[in-house]
Amino acid sequence: MNQAIYVGIILIALLGMPLFLVLLTVAGVGFSFADIDLIVIGIELYRITDSTVLMALPLFAFAGFLLSESNTAQRLVRLSRAALGWMPGGMMLIALLTCAFFTMLTGGSGVTIVALGALLYPALTQSNYEPRFSLGLLTTSGSLGLLLPPAIPLILYGIIAQQMDIPGVDIVDLFIAGLIPALLMILALYGYGLWANRRQPIELVPFNWQECKVALRETVWELLIPVIVLGGVFSGFFVLSEAAAVTALYVLIIETFVYREITARALLKAMRESLIMVGGILLILGSAMAFTNLLVFNNVPFMLFDLIGDRVTNPWVFLILLNILLLILGAFLDIFAALVIMVPLILPLAMKFGIDPIHLGVIFVANMQIGYFTPPVGMNLFIASYRFKKPIGELYRATLPFLGVLLAVVLLITYVPWLSLVFVR
């Protein structure tokens, strides 16, 4: 009987039942069979609201959506071109840094491709980069900033770890841990780009100090955003939730009253879209915590560890299997859904193998951001196909070399914990 009910739930899920309802239904059925009062589900849904860190999510998301509604992307491209266009592979480096910085500010990978694609793709091809190379570069660069603070996926990972009472997981530590891996990814793609275009007569933009000053003056207000967040949090002047509130207010003021690019309609749109996104995350998070409690009650994590422990005894083997699993999940699931479902299962298991939870968070997000453009169903592939009006097969071929480069970096991050933990532990 129990198995028939769970099979029915799975079938309904495959037909399109929302994820949070699937998790709540499974938790409710499981607790009912165990004769546990279903009030525990309500307690879990309420318990996540007790986290002060959680307040940072909607505020950072709101700031990100505001920036995506303004002309921030154009200003960043102009400044990058003026400052870096003279370097070897300058336009390529401009694309990498601009995409990473914009994703860092907005927290959305697909948003970056939509906002910057129309600016950077023509600029790359006009600088004599091949169309296929340009497509691959922009499709893969769209998710580069997900490890840079204020990284919403890292915040979510930290919240889940803290709800599980995992010691030594601080959001600020996660921010610090993601800096070197993110920089490595950018440098690796830049190095590959220089090698791939070594025989191409790439156009360089002569350095113009006057243009650089004008572009810097235009962008200076937005360049202060990471200074406010990082400076405030790392100095101890703000806790994360206060930094998020200050950031949201600051972005609202500069985009509405300084740049005057946010109309009342755009403001309402940013508010609505950020609340929808965060509301979805919170529903899934609360449901996943109730589901996790059911798994813990039934000793599933311990059975999983025994099952894997009988077959995998080497932490290195566990990590490579974990990378494969996360890449597959990243291609099929949204990063937030993957985090709330898999972290409660994987985190205790990883700690049994002696893996630092901060290091695991970086591994998790690094794999998930590659999953965005992993064939066959990585979300960025379809967004780029729509944005650049190219067949999806062409996007597959364009991104494969970049995928290989970033996979190599992920392996380096995975097996050299020092890269993530040097400034943390």
Side-chain angles (χ1 to χ4, degrees), residues 79-148:
L79 176 62
S80 301
R81 189 176 178 87
L84 303 172
W86 57 273
M87 294 177 62
M91 194 61 230
M92 174 183 60
L93 184 60
I94 288 165
L96 286 168
L97 293 178
T98 308
C99 286
F101 194 75
F102 193 74
T103 305
M104 179 188 79
L105 293 179
T106 61
S109 177
V111 173
T112 298
I113 294 174
V114 172
L116 294 174
L119 296 170
L120 291 174
Y121 182 67
L124 285 165
T125 52
Q126 288 165 15
S127 298
N128 296 327
Y129 290 96
E130 292 182 354
R132 180 183 290 186
F133 176 86
S134 303
L135 283 174
L137 181 73
L138 294 176
T139 304
T140 52
S141 300
S143 57
L144 280 182
L146 293 179
L147 278 169
L148 294 170

Side-chain angles (χ1 to χ4, degrees), residues 67 72-80 83-84 97-98 100-102 104-105 149-150 212-231 247 250-251 254-255 259:
L67 290 168
T72 301
Q74 291 89 326
R75 285 189 287 273
L76 288 176
V77 171
R78 181 181 181 184
L79 176 62
S80 301
L84 303 172
L97 293 178
T98 308
F101 194 75
F102 193 74
M104 179 188 79
L105 293 179
C212 196
K213 282 198 299 185
V214 172
L216 181 61
R217 194 179 303 122
E218 281 186 354
T219 322
V220 66
W221 294 103
E222 286 148 333
L223 294 178
L224 289 174
I225 296 171
V227 176
I228 292 171
V229 176
L230 300 179
T247 301
Y250 176 79
V251 171
I254 64 169
E255 300 298 344
Y259 292 114

